């Protein structure tokens, strides 16, 4: 799709975006149906509802990372009680002890906590990914072969803006986690290396909102450092390592 075409699509009213997304889902519907990876965030809520409106066959699953906001987990259990929870074989805390704390350039957590739990599902995937969220996502096609899942990946809301998402939610009266009303814009893992460096303000908000999770994180990182991380002579102790980690060092 040419850039000018993408721009025009992003300016369509929500009714046109909805109609186009439904047509996209119906056009690509595989014989065996889709699998939708559900996160409990606004984009996956919208994507799931589009599947309902389209009348396509689909299954839904939630990768229970163990480090998502508790409020999101509670929201899914309340409003989507039939969605199965898929738990990872290796938790974040055990993974840190076995490997290392994840960083932007050495990030094992996404594959282990989010992708691996549903890797066995043999259906083409739907994901609520939008090109507006990052340049990297914008540079990828709307339909692509996913190297990890070895399945085709479809993105029905790829061209939607955040404005379209909220208009659709209001139009259809969809419930969303209350964290959005508190000013949270994206609901991902509470402990995430992408919060560090440039996002110090967001990091502090997370640390203040979910202090218990960060206490566990720091305890586990300290144990890792004392057993393995101290091999890095840049840091005299775990506290120095954590302070550098929160600033976003990439090694």
């Amino acid at each position: 799709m040419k850039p000018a075409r993408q721009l025009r699509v992003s300016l369509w009213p929500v009714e046109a975006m909805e109609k186009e997304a439904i047509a996209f889902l119906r056009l690509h519907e595989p014989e065996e149906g889709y699998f939708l990876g559900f996160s409990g965030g606004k984009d996956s809520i919208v994507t799931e509802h589009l599947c309902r409106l389209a009348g396509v066959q689909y299954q839904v699953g939630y990768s229970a990372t163990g480090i998502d906001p508790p409020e999101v987990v509670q929201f899914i259990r309340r409003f989507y009680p039939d969605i199965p929870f898929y738990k990872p074989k290796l938790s974040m805390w055990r993974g840190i002890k076995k490997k290392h704390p994840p960083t932007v350039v050495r990030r094992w957590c996404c594959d282990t906590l989010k992708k691996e739990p549903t890797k066995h599902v043999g259906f083409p995937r739907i994901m609520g990914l939008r090109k507006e969220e990052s340049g990297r996502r914008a540079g990828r096609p709307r339909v692509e072969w996913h190297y990890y899942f070895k399945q085709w990946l479809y993105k029905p809301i790829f061209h939607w803006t955040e404005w379209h998402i909220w208009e659709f939610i209001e139009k259809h009266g969809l419930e969303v986690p209350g964290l959005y009303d508190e000013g949270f814009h994206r609901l991902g893992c509470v402990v995430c290396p992408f919060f560090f460096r440039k996002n110090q303000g967001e990091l502090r908000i997370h640390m203040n909102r979910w202090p218990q999770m960060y206490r566990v994180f720091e305890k586990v990182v300290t144990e890792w450092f004392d057993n393995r991380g101290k091999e890095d002579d840049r840091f005299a102790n775990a506290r120095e390592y954590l302070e550098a980690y929160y600033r976003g060092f990439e090694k």
Side-chain angles (χ1 to χ4, degrees):
M1 184 174 290
K2 298 179 180 180
R5 171 66 173 171
Q6 291 182 357
L7 177 61
R8 288 199 296 272
V9 169
S10 68
L11 295 177
W12 285 357
V14 68
E15 291 79 11
M17 299 297 279
E18 175 182 327
K19 182 178 180 180
E20 192 277 337
I22 288 173
F24 174 85
L25 286 167
R26 289 173 176 169
L27 174 65
H28 295 285
E29 181 182 9
E31 184 177 347
E32 66 273 39
Y34 295 109
F35 177 80
L36 168 61
F38 190 81
S39 70
K42 63 184 186 303
D43 291 347
S44 65
I45 290 170
V46 167
T47 303
E48 194 276 336
H49 198 71
L50 283 168
C51 288
R52 295 191 194 188
L53 295 176
V56 295
Q57 297 184 67
Y58 69 104
Q59 297 182 24
V60 190
Y62 165 62
S63 291
T65 67
I67 55 172
D68 282 333
E71 296 87 344
V72 173
V73 178
Q74 293 164 8
F75 170 84
I76 296 173
R77 292 192 184 280
R78 178 180 177 185
F79 293 101
Y80 297 86
D82 297 328
I83 290 182
F85 280 44
Y86 294 96
K87 296 183 179 180
K89 295 178 181 178
L90 187 69
S91 70
M92 176 70 156
W93 316 134
R94 287 178 54 216
I96 291 174
K97 292 179 181 180
K98 184 176 180 180
K99 302 180 181 182
H100 54 81
T103 65
V104 171
V105 296
R106 300 176 65 202
R107 190 176 71 256
W108 53 265
C109 48
C110 289
D111 284 353
T112 301
L113 303 180
K114 291 189 174 183
K115 297 177 184 176
E116 189 277 333
T118 64
K119 189 176 182 180
H120 66 282
V121 178
F123 296 93
R125 307 263 166 162
I126 299 175
M127 288 188 178
L129 302 178
R130 295 185 294 115
K131 67 183 180 66
E132 180 188 56
E133 294 178 300
S134 72
R136 182 178 179 183
R137 289 186 176 182
R140 303 188 73 88
R142 193 180 187 189
V143 178
E144 64 177 321
W145 180 257
H146 200 286
Y147 75 95
Y148 188 90
F149 294 118
K150 302 296 188 293
Q151 294 286 350
W152 286 103
L153 175 61
Y154 301 92
K155 310 167 191 177
I157 62 169
F158 189 62
H159 299 297
W160 290 42
T161 65
E162 187 162 346
W163 174 83
H164 289 119
I165 294 294
W166 287 115
E167 284 290 304
F168 184 88
I169 288 170
E170 182 175 354
K171 175 185 175 183
H172 293 278
L174 303 179
E175 297 286 347
V176 296
L179 290 172
Y180 287 118
D181 294 329
E182 298 180 26
F184 289 87
H185 299 293
R186 298 181 68 178
L187 307 183
C189 298
V190 170
V191 179
C192 177
F194 281 102
F195 289 148
F196 312 145
R197 195 168 53 187
K198 294 182 180 180
N199 297 317
Q200 292 292 298
E202 190 168 6
L203 168 63
R204 297 303 167 189
I205 291 172
H206 276 224
M207 294 178 80
N208 291 333
R209 180 58 189 260
W210 298 288
Q212 179 60 32
M213 198 169 294
Y214 275 88
R215 281 195 291 268
V216 174
F217 172 69
E218 294 189 0
K219 178 177 181 295
V220 172
V221 170
T222 298
E223 292 178 6
W224 166 82
F225 184 90
D226 290 343
N227 292 325
R228 300 176 62 186
K230 59 186 177 183
E231 297 171 5
D232 188 335
D233 58 10
R234 292 179 299 168
F235 309 106
N237 52 53
R239 176 44 55 183
E240 284 189 11
Y241 175 86
L242 278 163
E243 289 175 356
Y245 186 87
Y246 287 144
R247 289 196 300 270
F249 82 99
E250 296 185 348
K251 184 175 180 181

